[in-house]
């Protein structure tokens, strides 16, 4: 299981890096658009290509792998905490990778505040005390699988 988690963490880092590169490229294209270039049509097509990048393919592949690698973990979570929503289950799987909140926000295309709010909701549903660490708790559940 540890090797799968390391593999997922590496792939998450790749998704983050690709997303950052895509944002830089989009900014460059936007600047070209505002310059009023005579090749506006070409720039529009470049923008369309950037928006349909392989990033979504990598994210979808990552989500599928994350889901398939965590089926038992999801069952354990749902058995113990049936009130967790599908998006909270998914976030729990990401939290097990111990990624910073900022990186999770980028991967999940959510704001940092949304991730923090979701973490708070998960903590409440798991009945965790303030001194208990959410990630540590999730990792301990994973070790019980």
């Amino acid at each position: 299981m540890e090797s799968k988690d390391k593999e997922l963490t590496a792939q998450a880092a790749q998704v983050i890096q690709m997303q950052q590169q895509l944002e830089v490229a989009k900014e460059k294209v936007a600047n070209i658009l505002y310059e009023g270039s005579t090749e506006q049509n070409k720039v529009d097509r470049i923008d369309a290509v950037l928006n349909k990048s392989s990033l979504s393919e990598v994210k979808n592949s990552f989500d599928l792998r994350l889901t398939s690698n965590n089926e038992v973990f999801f069952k354990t979570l749902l058995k113990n905490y049936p009130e967790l929503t599908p998006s909270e289950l998914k976030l729990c799987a990401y939290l097990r990778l111990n990624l910073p909140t900022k990186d999770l926000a980028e991967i999940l295309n959510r704001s940092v505040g949304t991730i923090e709010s979701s973490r708070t909701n998960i903590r409440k549903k798991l009945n965790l005390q303030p001194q208990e660490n959410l990630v540590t708790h999730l990792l301990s559940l994973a070790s019980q699988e």
Side-chain angles (χ1 to χ4, degrees):
M1 186 61 145
E2 244 180 74
S3 65
K4 287 182 181 181
D5 286 347
K6 286 181 183 179
E7 187 178 313
L8 285 171
T9 302
Q11 196 173 9
Q14 180 185 12
V15 169
I16 292 165
Q17 183 180 17
M18 286 182 70
Q19 191 154 2
Q20 290 169 342
Q21 290 171 348
L22 180 61
E23 289 303 317
V24 168
K26 282 177 136 180
E27 286 178 24
K28 289 179 182 178
V29 170
N31 288 337
I32 292 170
L33 285 170
Y34 289 119
E35 290 173 2
S37 172
T38 58
E39 300 183 38
Q40 188 71 39
N41 206 9
K42 288 181 185 179
V43 174
D44 288 342
R45 288 195 317 242
I46 291 171
D47 188 43
V49 168
L50 287 174
N51 284 324
K52 290 183 357 182
S53 75
S54 63
L55 176 64
S56 61
E57 291 173 26
V58 171
K59 280 185 172 183
N60 289 339
S61 169
F62 182 73
D63 277 345
L64 286 173
R65 291 179 73 166
L66 186 78
T67 301
S68 66
N69 288 352
N70 286 289
E71 287 178 5
V72 175
F73 176 64
F74 291 147
K75 287 178 184 175
T76 303
L77 272 176
L78 283 173
K79 179 182 169 192
N80 294 321
Y81 311 103
E83 63 280 358
L84 288 171
T85 66
S87 62
E88 289 169 338
L89 289 170
K90 182 178 177 180
L91 181 56
C92 286
Y94 276 101
L95 290 169
R96 285 181 52 201
L97 299 175
N98 208 14
L99 297 170
T101 301
K102 180 183 176 205
D103 291 348
L104 289 173
E106 285 187 32
I107 291 170
L108 297 171
N109 202 24
R110 304 282 183 257
S111 70
V112 170
T114 300
I115 299 298
E116 289 171 348
S117 175
S118 296
R119 286 177 65 119
T120 300
N121 291 338
I122 292 169
R123 289 182 60 80
K124 287 178 186 175
K125 290 180 180 182
L126 271 53
N127 298 315
L128 294 180
Q129 298 300 313
Q131 68 274 13
E132 292 179 275
N133 183 289
L134 175 58
V135 174
T136 303
H137 183 73
L138 293 172
L139 289 171
S140 72
L141 284 174
S143 67
Q144 296 172 10
E145 296 172 3

